[in-house]
Amino acid sequence: MFRRVLITTLFSTMSFVPIVALAGVQISEVQFNPVGTDTGAEYVIIKNTGGLSENLYGWQLYPDSDSVQGYYFFGNISISGGSTLTIRLRTSGTDTNSDVFHSSAPGNMGNTSGSVALFNATDRSASTIIDFVEWGKAGETWESAAGTAGLWTKGSFIDISSATEGQALLRNGTESGPSAWSIGNATSAVTPPAGTNG
């Protein structure tokens, strides 16, 4: 009898745990429309909301501008509990535990619409997606997978009609979906390389 009560209690408790509480690493900021030149100044920040360090080897970040390959986390890139990691797009540099560089991204993120997805494996699917954000319009790449995973509501998006150049998408807390995001001042300043175009 005790065993049945214990199992029922554990199952009931586990049934109500939101997916985002289990994720740990989340997208926390997206700079999709920097002031002036976009090339080399766009970035995505991810944050480890958990207490333990997370090794990102084999993970993938998929900005909407990179429909071919995404950014693969190879090497010894870890993110400590409570820390952030900035993925800088279309610029070069030396990877550290606070900044990595996706110089081969084929294009800039959309200024009027776009999305970013984070996967904890090199294959991209509803079973490996752990976070997602989309702005400007619905139906961006990986929206369906994010919906299946319980991270996003199909057809919803962050309204950026009031955003000004240089503002970023900022996550408020650890919840998922459009209501967890706001538009505000970017927390990271990136100077694009000389001679690049937006």
Side-chain angles (χ1 to χ4, degrees):
M1 180 66 164
F2 175 73
R3 181 177 290 169
R4 186 182 320 161
V5 171
L6 178 62
I7 291 171
T8 303
T9 303
L10 286 173
F11 179 75
S12 298
T13 303
M14 290 171 60
S15 298
F16 297 105
V17 175
I19 292 173
V20 293
L22 302 175
V25 178
Q26 296 180 318
I27 302 164
S28 66
E29 182 174 339
V30 178
Q31 175 52 279
F32 62 94
N33 187 15
V35 173
T37 300
D38 286 5
T39 302
E42 294 181 335
Y43 62 82
V44 176
I45 298 177
I46 59 175
K47 181 174 184 178
N48 184 351
T49 63
L52 300 176
S53 181
E54 184 77 55
N55 188 314
L56 303 180
Y57 182 83
W59 288 39
Q60 184 183 14
L61 182 80
Y62 183 96
D64 70 326
S65 59
D66 192 352
S67 59
V68 179
Q69 63 186 34
Y71 176 79
Y72 290 92
F73 293 90
F74 291 124
N76 190 25
I77 300 295
S78 295
I79 181 169
S80 301
S83 297
T84 61
L85 176 67
T86 303
I87 299 89
R88 301 189 185 277
L89 305 177
R90 301 191 76 196
T91 188
S92 299
T94 302
D95 292 347
T96 67
N97 279 340
S98 61
D99 292 272
V100 295
F101 298 84
H102 183 24
S103 59
S104 62
N108 293 323
M109 290 189 282
N111 289 350
T112 57
S113 66
S115 64
V116 177
L118 181 64
F119 301 87
N120 64 5
T122 53
D123 66 304
R124 301 184 299 256
S125 69
S127 63
T128 61
I129 191 169
I130 63 168
D131 205 8
F132 177 81
V133 59
E134 107 183 305
W135 61 92
K137 70 175 185 177
E140 297 288 344
T141 308
W142 299 110
E143 180 193 83
S144 293
T148 300
L151 300 171
W152 202 258
T153 303
K154 189 173 180 178
S156 62
F157 59 92
I158 300 168
D159 180 7
I160 59 167
S161 59
S162 64
T164 59
E165 190 178 52
Q167 290 188 311
L169 301 177
L170 307 172
R171 186 183 219 123
N172 308 307
T174 59
E175 296 302 313
S176 60
S179 62
W181 292 85
S182 63
I183 300 164
N185 294 329
T187 62
S188 180
V190 179
T191 304
T196 56
N197 297 316

